[in-house]
Amino acid sequence: MAKNTATLTTRRVIFRDSITFLSLTAITVVLFVVTLFLFRSFQQHRTELAKRWSDRGVAALQANRPDQAVTCYRTALSYAPGERSYELNLAEALAQAGRTEEAYNYFIGLREARPGDGFINLQLARLAATKHDAQGAVNFYRASIYGDWEGDGAKRRRDVRLELARYLIKQKQLGPAKTELLVVGGNAPDDPELDVTLANLLEQVAAPSDAMDFFQKALVHQPDNQIALSEAGRLAYRRGDYSTALALLERAVKRQPGNEENTALLMKTRRILQLIPSETLRAPERVDRILIDRAIAKARWNACAMQSDVSQNSLQSLAARWMDPDATASRSALLHDSDKQKAALQLIYDTEIQTSQHCGAPTGDDALLLLLAQSSATKGGSH
């Protein structure tokens, strides 16, 4: 009997302990579930707050209030520490707020984690340029070009290389800038807009031949591209390639007759082609043009002599040359003597150059003859 009583007591104790254990377990589970729910709710609330502050930062930047955006992004990061998009936004906001040193240091910190990030290196290049650190800017630009990009990496790298070329032009580093531009042109798809951009930039780096190549490339794919026609025509005119300029400007004016600048330049081009005593002309026509040009230059000399001190050395020498019998050589004499033709042309060109220095800038036909004179001097010979 005593044994049964002990067994029953033991069973009751075990049952009570089991109930207690199960109760504690259930309470623990409930507390865990409640804690987990509260934690997740708290985390979700923090995420929502971070997103809300980030959106405020975006709105502040759009409203051109970068300082306010800095505060918003800092607050967003306090709710979502280490969120890369917010960190990048904060760094950009610092840069837009003019807090260059802070932005630079912030981006440097971000770069330590991702040294090959194209976007971060691009931002550092721009900030280094703002800090007048030319070598640093170039290094970061190159790191950006060869870095990692999300999305259309080829286009982004091309855009960065163009930006680098523009920066090098500002730094007067025309040789390296030209190299970057030619790399872009060599790797780019057929894109007339890009070709025109490259042509304009190549002009700035003193590469007119390359510039003309890209203008012509644009016109191959878009023969009616008004910008390419106009700018290529003006470039050809500046280079002294008046036949090419005429063809391009005629097309430009035909498609846009209301463009006064193109129309005026076309008229100048036609006139200068009438004045050029080209060696490719038949002798009678070449001599006729020399005589027309000589009359224009003589009138310019007469007008200049009346308002200037001819006793000056350069003008005195020019006056003596106009008094020489060769200055009035007849058509027949010129026609049969190529040396007299060259001497007459030299007198014409020297007159236009020297009178422009002593009597002000020429106009009309004299201005066109001055262009021919300067072109002749550059080429080291006559037209």
Side-chain angles (χ1 to χ4, degrees):
M1 183 69 179
K3 183 179 179 181
N4 291 336
T5 302
T7 301
L8 182 61
T9 301
T10 300
R11 288 177 177 175
R12 286 176 179 173
V13 170
I14 292 172
F15 179 75
R16 185 178 66 248
D17 288 347
S18 298
I19 293 297
T20 301
F21 174 77
L22 289 173
S23 298
L24 290 173
T25 301
I27 292 171
T28 301
V29 170
V30 170
L31 288 174
F32 174 77
V33 171
V34 171
T35 302
L36 181 62
F37 172 78
L38 290 175
F39 176 77
R40 288 184 174 177
S41 177
F42 176 70
Q43 286 295 99
Q44 182 178 358
H45 182 59
R46 286 175 64 88
T47 301
E48 290 174 353
L49 285 173
K51 178 67 166 56
R52 191 178 304 166
W53 280 102
S54 174
D55 290 342
R56 290 175 183 173
V58 172
L61 283 179
Q62 291 175 344
N64 197 28
R65 294 196 296 270
D67 285 311
Q68 183 179 332
V70 169
T71 301
C72 293
Y73 287 126
R74 287 195 192 282
T75 305
L77 281 167
S78 70
Y79 290 113
E83 175 60 44
R84 182 171 178 272
S85 62
Y86 298 164
E87 290 179 329
L88 289 173
N89 289 338
L90 172 58
E92 288 186 79
L94 286 167
Q96 291 188 36
R99 295 156 70 170
T100 303
E101 202 63 40
E102 286 183 74
Y104 183 84
N105 291 332
Y106 205 98
F107 272 118
I108 285 292
L110 293 174
R111 187 177 186 269
E112 290 177 358
R114 301 187 63 173
D117 189 292
F119 176 79
I120 291 175
N121 279 293
L122 176 58
Q123 301 308 311
L124 283 168
R126 291 169 176 171
L127 290 166
T130 302
K131 286 157 53 74
H132 305 293
D133 177 7
Q135 189 56 55
V138 171
N139 290 342
F140 283 125
Y141 271 124
R142 296 199 186 284
S144 177
I145 291 169
Y146 297 108
D148 300 323
W149 285 93
E150 298 176 1
D152 190 353
K155 183 180 184 305
R156 291 176 181 271
R157 291 184 181 91
R158 183 166 61 248
D159 291 342
V160 175
R161 200 180 288 276
L162 278 174
E163 187 172 326
L164 169 58
R166 290 187 174 97
Y167 178 72
L168 290 169
I169 291 172
K170 288 182 180 178
Q171 297 299 310
K172 310 299 183 186
Q173 298 184 42
L174 302 187
K178 177 183 175 181
T179 299
E180 298 297 338
L181 293 170
L182 292 178
V183 170
V184 172
N187 297 330
D190 292 331
D191 182 347
E193 184 177 350
L194 176 61
D195 290 333
V196 170
T197 297
L198 287 170
N200 286 326
L201 290 172
L202 283 163
E203 274 197 83
Q204 296 180 40
V205 300
S209 296
D210 293 311
M212 184 59 74
D213 288 342
F214 279 99
F215 278 134
Q216 296 287 12
K217 182 184 174 186
L219 290 170
V220 167
H221 297 286
Q222 285 187 355
D224 296 336
N225 187 313
Q226 187 64 27
I227 295 176
L229 284 171
S230 299
E231 296 188 7
R234 294 166 194 167
L235 173 58
Y237 182 88
R238 289 192 295 272
R239 295 181 67 199
D241 186 358
Y242 301 112
S243 296
T244 300
L246 177 67
L248 291 166
L249 290 169
E250 282 182 338
R251 290 167 59 187
V253 170
K254 182 178 180 180
R255 287 163 177 75
Q256 195 177 61
N259 189 312
E260 296 181 0
E261 184 178 356
N262 283 346
T263 301
L265 191 58
L266 175 58
M267 293 176 63
K268 287 183 179 181
T269 304
R270 285 173 174 163
R271 179 56 178 162
I272 205 169
L273 284 169
Q274 294 172 350
L275 296 174
I276 294 176
S278 173
E279 293 182 354
T280 62
L281 295 171
R282 292 173 53 251
E285 186 175 356
R286 174 176 162 81
V287 169
D288 287 342
R289 294 193 182 191
I290 290 175
L291 290 171
I292 292 172
D293 295 348
R294 190 175 69 181
I296 295 168
K298 182 62 164 62
R300 170 69 167 164
W301 163 248
N302 291 339
C304 183
M306 291 178 64
Q307 66 181 70
S308 299
D309 182 6
V310 182
S311 64
Q312 298 180 62
N313 290 337
S314 58
L315 290 182
Q316 191 174 31
S317 173
L318 190 59
R321 291 169 65 187
W322 275 109
M323 295 296 292
D324 190 277
D326 282 345
T328 57
S330 66
R331 183 178 187 277
S332 177
L334 291 172
L335 192 59
H336 297 93
D337 192 332
S338 60
D339 288 338
K340 287 186 181 295
Q341 293 176 25
K342 292 178 181 178
L345 273 178
Q346 194 61 55
L347 177 58
I348 293 166
Y349 292 158
D350 288 347
T351 297
E352 294 297 347
I353 291 174
Q354 292 185 36
T355 54
S356 69
Q357 296 169 354
H358 294 278
C359 299
T363 59
D365 286 345
D366 287 299
L368 300 179
L369 287 179
L370 178 60
L371 279 179
L372 294 179
Q374 292 168 336
S375 175
S376 176
T378 301
K379 296 176 181 178
S382 61
H383 288 273

